[in-house]
Amino acid sequence: MPQRLDISQLGSPVIRSIAQKVNDIHAPEIQTLIDDMILTCSDTKGVGIAASQVGHSLSILIMASTPNKRYPHAPQMQPTALINPQIISVSKQRVKDWEGCLSLPGIRARVPRHTQIEVSYFDREGKQKHTIFKDFLARLFQHEYDHLIGTVFLDRIESSQDIVMEKEYQRLMSEKETL
Ligand code: NI
């Protein structure tokens, strides 16, 4: 049975660590970690999680986009493990939008991200994949990939004026919906 794992928070050294490449994707402990990360991500209502956030400095991330109030157009996808991901190219165009992070609870910020990103990775069966993520999925990928290089979303903001606390963020969003 998959287990829910503890989330490492900013200040824990693992959040600032550079993830190591996974050598044996088929190793039982790697497959178990992937299952545990998928469960932890859904249990915490996250749309993505990186291995460093559950205390393992390994190049594994989960993308599990699902539409919600904040992102009504977010695509519905099966939770997907991306192992040893690499960025091939990025769009020139960037846009700012809201992000939060399980490792920085209570904080939201507007973060500029490339609108399109071309990546390669290995899936959990060890097959190499090549894909292009756009818009919300491009943002999600960039956020999670950053965790693999010891970076969090606050490192990417243009101004501290783009940070708000969760309570005010919820207020902002509910006002927006009534407009
Ligand atoms: Ni995060």
Side-chain angles (χ1 to χ4, degrees), residues 53 101 143 147:
Q53 291 183 276
C101 182
H143 178 113
H147 280 301

Side-chain angles (χ1 to χ4, degrees), residues 123-169:
D123 69 12
R124 67 181 299 172
E125 276 86 47
K127 278 197 214 105
Q128 190 163 21
K129 302 274 187 172
H130 178 269
T131 191
I132 292 172
F133 292 121
K134 293 177 186 172
D135 303 321
F136 182 77
L137 293 184
R139 174 170 300 278
L140 177 57
F141 177 87
Q142 288 167 83
H143 178 113
E144 301 308 334
Y145 181 86
D146 268 353
H147 280 301
L148 305 182
I149 54 169
T151 298
V152 299
F153 71 109
L154 289 186
D155 301 323
R156 299 290 191 191
I157 61 174
E158 286 172 351
S159 159
S160 52
Q161 301 282 333
D162 285 331
I163 305 172
V164 302
M165 305 312 290
E166 181 73 24
K167 195 175 161 189
E168 294 301 325
Y169 171 77

Side-chain angles (χ1 to χ4, degrees), residues 49-109:
I49 198 166
S52 64
Q53 291 183 276
V54 291
H56 296 269
S57 193
L58 286 168
S59 190
I60 303 172
L61 55 88
I62 305 294
M63 288 171 70
S65 167
T66 185
N68 58 32
K69 244 174 148 183
R70 242 69 73 214
Y71 300 104
H73 304 295
Q76 180 79 53
M77 66 188 282
Q78 280 291 106
T80 303
L82 290 79
I83 299 148
N84 300 337
Q86 287 196 306
I87 295 171
I88 295 164
S89 70
V90 297
S91 63
K92 260 195 194 135
Q93 194 196 17
R94 296 192 307 163
V95 291
K96 266 201 227 181
D97 207 346
W98 292 105
E99 292 183 20
C101 182
L102 297 170
S103 297
L104 291 77
I107 299 173
R108 301 279 182 157

Side-chain angles (χ1 to χ4, degrees), residues 5 28-38 51 54 56 58 60:
L5 306 168
E29 59 268 29
I30 295 295
Q31 294 293 322
T32 299
L33 176 60
I34 290 168
D35 289 333
D36 290 350
M37 285 171 67
I38 289 170
V54 291
H56 296 269
L58 286 168
I60 303 172

